Amino acid sequence: MNKPLEKSSSAEVGPMKMNIDGVEHTFDIDDPRLPEWVEAKVITAGGFPYEKKLKRKEYEESLEKLQIELVKMQTWMQATGARVMALFEGRDAAGKGGTIQRVRKYMNPRTARNVALPKPTEAEAGQWYFQRYVTHFPTRSEFVTFDRSWYNRGVVEPVMGFCTPEQHEQFLAEAPRFEQSIVMDGIHLFKFWLNIGRETQLKRFHDRRHSLLKHWKFSPMDIAGMAKWDDYTKMRDLMIERTHTDYAPWTIVRANDKRRARLAVMRRILVSVPYAGRDTEAIGAEDERIIGSGPDFLD
C-alpha cells in the first residue's frame, strides 16, 4: 500500500483564480489531478513552436555529441587559460538547474563549477550589490555557471519587494557597465534566459508538489510567484530591454521542452567559444525557433 504523500509545506495552498489569455481558470496545486486545461498546453503554452517534445533517441544522440564537444572545449581552456562564465535566469521551474547539470555532466569538476548563492548575509547586504558575485568569478581555465545571478535584482527582488524602486533602477543602470568590464577583461560571458509558458510552469509546480522525490523544490516563493505571473513578465521585459547589449547580449531560449532547450544552450556556448578542434558537424545547426537574442525574441 502506498504511503500518503508528504507535502513540501504543512499548509495547503488552496484553489487560486488566474486569468490566462482572457480566460478565467481555477488551479488547485493541492489536487493530485492536473486540470485538463493545463495538460493540453504544457508544451505549446506561450506560443512554443512545437507541439511535442523532441524524441528521446534524437535528444540523447545529440546530447552525447555536444557533451563530447564541451569536454574538448574544456581541454582547450586548460591549455589556453580561457575563462567562461554562463548565467542562467528564468522563472521558477524554467529548467535552469537541469540544464546546468547536463552542461557540466562530463566536464572536469576541478575547473568547472556551479554557483548557486543563498540569500545575502547581513554583511553581504551591506556591500556593493555585485560584490558577493565577483568572488565567484572564474580564474584561469575555469568554466563557471551561475544558477541565478546578480539578475535577482532585475526580476525577483522588485516583484517580491526585496529591494526598493531606487535600488532596482540603480541596478538596471549599473549592470551593463559592470558586464562591460567583465568582457573587457577577457571573460567569455553568456546570459541565458530560459523562457516558459504559464501552463508549463503550473505543470512543473504540480509535479514538484506531488513528488516524493522533488516536493522539497516547491517553496513558498513558488506559491507567491504563481499569483504574480504578470508582474514577473513586466519586470523581465524591462530588465532584458535595459541590460541587453552588443557585448553582453541576452540569449533567450524557449524552454517548454527541456530537451530542446538544453541542446540549444550547449550549441550556443560551443559555437561562440573559439576552442581548437571544434566539430561543427557534431554540434549541428542552431534551432532558430528555439533560441534567439534580446527583447525581440520574447513572447
Side-chain angles (χ1 to χ4, degrees):
M1 184 175 181
N2 292 334
K3 294 182 180 180
L5 177 66
E6 287 187 23
K7 298 295 175 72
S8 58
S9 171
S10 58
E12 292 190 354
V13 179
M16 299 177 64
K17 297 286 187 181
M18 49 187 67
N19 188 295
I20 303 178
D21 297 329
V23 179
E24 190 79 14
H25 291 287
T26 300
F27 181 70
D28 186 355
I29 193 100
D30 294 317
D31 188 338
R33 298 166 299 178
L34 187 70
E36 291 184 5
W37 61 269
V38 175
E39 187 70 55
K41 295 190 69 177
V42 168
I43 295 296
T44 60
F48 190 75
Y50 293 96
E51 295 183 355
K52 296 181 180 179
K53 294 191 295 185
L54 184 66
K55 291 182 179 179
R56 179 176 293 277
K57 182 178 180 181
E58 182 179 349
Y59 165 66
E60 291 180 347
E61 289 176 352
S62 296
L63 180 65
E64 182 178 19
K65 292 177 181 178
L66 295 173
Q67 288 172 330
I68 289 171
E69 289 297 307
L70 286 166
V71 172
K72 288 166 59 176
M73 184 190 77
Q74 189 180 28
T75 300
W76 170 81
M77 291 174 62
Q78 291 169 345
T80 62
R83 295 167 293 165
V84 176
M85 186 163 62
L87 317 183
F88 287 83
E89 296 288 345
R91 299 178 192 266
D92 293 321
K96 299 178 290 296
T99 301
I100 291 169
Q101 192 273 332
R102 270 68 175 188
V103 169
R104 297 177 59 247
K105 185 172 183 179
Y106 295 105
M107 299 178 80
N108 185 341
R110 292 181 178 178
T111 54
R113 55 187 172 84
N114 184 51
V115 179
L117 299 182
K119 63 182 293 186
T121 65
E122 185 175 348
E124 289 171 337
Q127 296 172 347
W128 175 50
Y129 177 73
F130 297 95
Q131 186 168 336
R132 74 183 191 126
Y133 297 100
V134 173
T135 61
H136 298 278
F137 277 18
T139 187
R140 179 180 174 83
S141 303
E142 276 197 321
F143 179 92
V144 176
T145 53
F146 278 80
D147 187 345
R148 294 199 182 278
S149 67
W150 49 90
Y151 279 102
N152 276 327
R153 181 146 292 180
V155 179
V156 176
E157 290 190 18
V159 169
M160 293 300 178
F162 297 155
C163 70
T164 66
E166 292 77 18
Q167 289 172 324
H168 178 228
E169 174 58 33
Q170 181 179 356
F171 168 80
L172 293 176
E174 285 187 357
R177 296 194 294 267
F178 174 63
E179 290 163 6
Q180 186 175 34
S181 68
I182 295 171
V183 174
M184 289 180 66
D185 197 57
I187 294 176
H188 298 276
L189 176 64
F190 295 90
K191 302 189 307 189
F192 293 107
W193 178 272
L194 304 188
N195 207 49
I196 57 173
R198 194 167 190 184
E199 290 90 345
T200 310
Q201 186 189 55
L202 292 175
K203 169 66 161 58
R204 294 179 185 178
F205 280 164
H206 188 270
D207 287 348
R208 291 179 179 183
R209 182 71 162 174
H210 297 278
S211 169
L212 289 171
L213 295 174
K214 298 182 180 180
H215 63 84
W216 57 270
K217 285 188 170 184
F218 188 71
S219 70
M221 284 288 289
D222 295 332
I223 296 170
M226 282 195 296
K228 294 180 178 291
W229 178 270
D230 292 338
D231 293 334
Y232 269 89
T233 300
K234 179 181 177 181
M235 289 300 175
R236 175 204 67 182
D237 292 352
L238 176 62
M239 178 191 77
I240 290 177
E241 179 183 352
R242 293 281 299 275
T243 62
H244 176 70
T245 61
D246 291 339
Y247 49 84
W250 274 105
T251 298
I252 313 299
V253 182
R254 292 177 174 145
N256 287 5
D257 178 3
K258 293 180 181 180
R259 295 171 182 172
R260 287 187 171 92
R262 292 165 182 168
L263 299 181
V265 165
M266 293 180 191
R267 286 193 177 105
R268 177 54 58 94
I269 293 171
L270 291 167
V271 300
S272 302
V273 177
Y275 66 98
R278 178 192 285 120
D279 185 342
T280 55
E281 184 175 345
I283 295 171
E286 290 193 310
D287 186 344
E288 294 182 354
R289 302 176 74 185
I290 293 296
I291 190 166
S293 183
D296 292 342
F297 200 73
L298 289 170
D299 295 343

